[in-house]
């Protein structure tokens, strides 16, 4: 965490993070123009932020896009804030997110480093014995591109033929289409009639996992996209993925999942 606090100590780097919070997925040119800083200065600051995992990058054609990464902030919250007043802090964070979300990218990007091997991480992403523990969901499929997936979670089952494996390159890349929301799902997880009506008309999204060995760790980058504007599903994704991935990281590194949060 020393790198995180060092990165946040510089006001120019905080300006870069504020810019990415307002509009994530920016190129170096866009960041330079918005902040009136030289290309060299922005590049140096971004290198520090990337080293602290506060910024993650993706290649889209010839462009390199920069995304604000919430993983280090979540780690700080798990280490200290949860010990004190989790309920109030989460309420304030939710309010802040709601106020700032209007200009956010219509995709979710998250990078974490896990002390494990690519083989072990791949197993954790695909084996029901693992996914059930850190996620509460299981997938029945042979994990071949084009194969259908049966999704089971808390008694809800989805066998939609459009729910399929998109890419499966063992130990490197995995992607599949996400579930949509039917009446059974809405009833199982307590969605209001209004939210169900909105969710049931949203397009199907896709989640991708990129696994890159880095020393004794594996860099896991999750990209979840394909959402429409003002997507209610995306709002839920942004809330849910950090907890799922923190649970995954903890399970692989300690053999145990995170304890359930204490009610406020």
């Amino acid at each position: 965490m020393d790198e995180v606090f060092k990165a946040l100590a510089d006001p120019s780097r905080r300006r870069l993070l504020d810019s990415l919070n307002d509009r994530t997925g920016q190129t170096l040119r866009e960041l330079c123009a918005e902040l009136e800083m030289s290309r060299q200065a922005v590049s140096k600051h971004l290198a520090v932020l990337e080293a602290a995992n506060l910024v993650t990058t993706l290649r889209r054609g010839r462009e390199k896009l920069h995304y604000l990464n919430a993983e280090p902030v979540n780690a700080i919250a798990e280490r200290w804030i949860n010990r004190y007043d989790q309920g109030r802090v989460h309420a304030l964070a939710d309010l802040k997110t709601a106020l700032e979300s209007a200009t956010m990218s219509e995709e979710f990007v998250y990078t974490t480093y896990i002390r494990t091997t690519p083989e072990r991480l791949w197993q954790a992403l695909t084996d029901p014995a693992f996914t059930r523990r850190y996620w509460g969901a299981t997938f029945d499929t042979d994990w071949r591109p084009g194969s259908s997936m049966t999704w089971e979670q808390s008694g809800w089952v989805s066998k939609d033929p459009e729910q399929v494996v998109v890419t499966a390159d063992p130990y490197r890349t995995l992607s599949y289409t996400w579930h949509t929301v039917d009446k059974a799902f809405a009833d199982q997880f307590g969605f209001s009639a209004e939210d169900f009506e909105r969710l049931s008309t949203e397009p199907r999204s896709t989640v991708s996992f990129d696994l890159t060995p880095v020393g004794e760790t594996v860099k896991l980058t999750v990209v979840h996209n394909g959402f429409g504007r003002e997507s209610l599903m995306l709002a839920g994704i942004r809330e849910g993925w950090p907890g799922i991935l923190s649970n995954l990281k903890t399970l692989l590194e300690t053999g145990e999942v995170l304890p359930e949060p204490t009610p406020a």
Side-chain angles (χ1 to χ4, degrees):
M1 294 197 177
D2 290 344
E3 289 184 325
V4 175
F5 288 116
K6 177 183 176 182
L8 293 173
D10 186 277
S12 294
R13 289 195 281 272
R14 292 198 298 271
R15 287 178 62 199
L16 279 170
L17 293 176
D18 286 339
S19 178
L20 289 174
N21 186 52
D22 290 338
R23 185 167 61 88
T24 195
Q26 294 188 59
T27 63
L28 177 59
R29 176 180 53 80
E30 290 171 327
L31 287 167
C32 292
E34 183 170 335
L35 298 178
E36 298 181 350
M37 297 169 61
S38 70
R39 187 181 185 89
Q40 184 179 21
V42 172
S43 294
K44 287 183 177 180
H45 286 311
L46 286 173
V48 175
L49 292 169
E50 286 188 60
N53 201 27
L54 286 161
V55 167
T56 191
T57 61
L58 293 175
R59 286 282 182 182
R60 294 284 167 81
R62 299 176 62 182
E63 291 188 325
K64 183 179 181 181
L65 304 182
H66 300 80
Y67 294 84
L68 183 66
N69 186 40
E71 194 275 342
V73 179
N74 289 334
I76 291 171
E78 289 171 7
R79 181 167 179 176
W80 287 299
I81 295 175
N82 288 355
R83 299 181 185 180
Y84 302 106
D85 200 350
Q86 186 182 46
R88 286 194 181 91
V89 170
H90 281 187
L92 291 172
D94 289 346
L95 175 60
K96 185 175 185 290
T97 298
L99 292 173
E100 295 178 343
S101 63
T103 58
M104 292 181 72
S105 170
E106 291 168 5
E107 63 184 333
F108 174 86
V109 180
Y110 193 98
T111 296
T112 186
Y113 291 80
I114 304 175
R115 189 178 296 276
T116 188
T117 64
E119 294 80 7
R120 188 68 167 166
L121 180 51
W122 180 271
Q123 183 183 16
L125 291 172
T126 59
D127 188 335
F130 277 89
T131 60
R132 184 181 293 108
R133 289 195 66 190
Y134 68 83
W135 190 340
T138 61
F139 310 98
D140 184 7
T141 181
D142 59 12
W143 295 111
R144 296 178 180 177
S147 293
S148 62
M149 301 173 63
T150 299
W151 188 312
E152 191 279 327
Q153 186 171 356
S154 301
W156 172 78
V157 178
S158 175
K159 297 182 179 181
D160 193 314
E162 294 184 14
Q163 194 170 280
V164 298
V165 179
V166 177
T167 305
D169 183 3
Y171 322 131
R172 294 182 179 87
T173 305
L174 176 69
S175 65
Y176 49 85
T177 55
W178 200 248
H179 69 81
T180 53
V181 174
D182 57 16
K183 187 64 166 58
F185 184 92
D187 291 342
Q188 178 67 35
F189 296 99
F191 287 94
S192 67
E194 180 182 0
D195 285 347
F196 167 61
E197 184 176 356
R198 285 182 59 189
L199 286 163
S200 63
T201 61
E202 291 195 9
R204 185 182 298 275
S205 58
T206 301
V207 63
S208 302
F209 305 86
D210 182 76
L211 290 65
T212 305
V214 180
E216 297 181 353
T217 69
V218 179
K219 178 184 177 183
L220 174 64
T221 298
V222 179
V223 180
H224 199 151
N225 53 24
F227 303 97
R229 290 185 60 81
E230 300 182 353
S231 168
L232 191 59
M233 178 68 82
L234 177 55
I237 289 300
R238 289 195 177 114
E239 179 73 19
W241 266 129
I244 292 170
L245 296 171
S246 293
N247 236 3
L248 167 63
K249 175 180 171 70
T250 302
L251 177 60
L252 287 173
E253 293 183 343
T254 71
E256 299 294 334
V257 296
L258 292 168
E260 290 292 329
T262 302

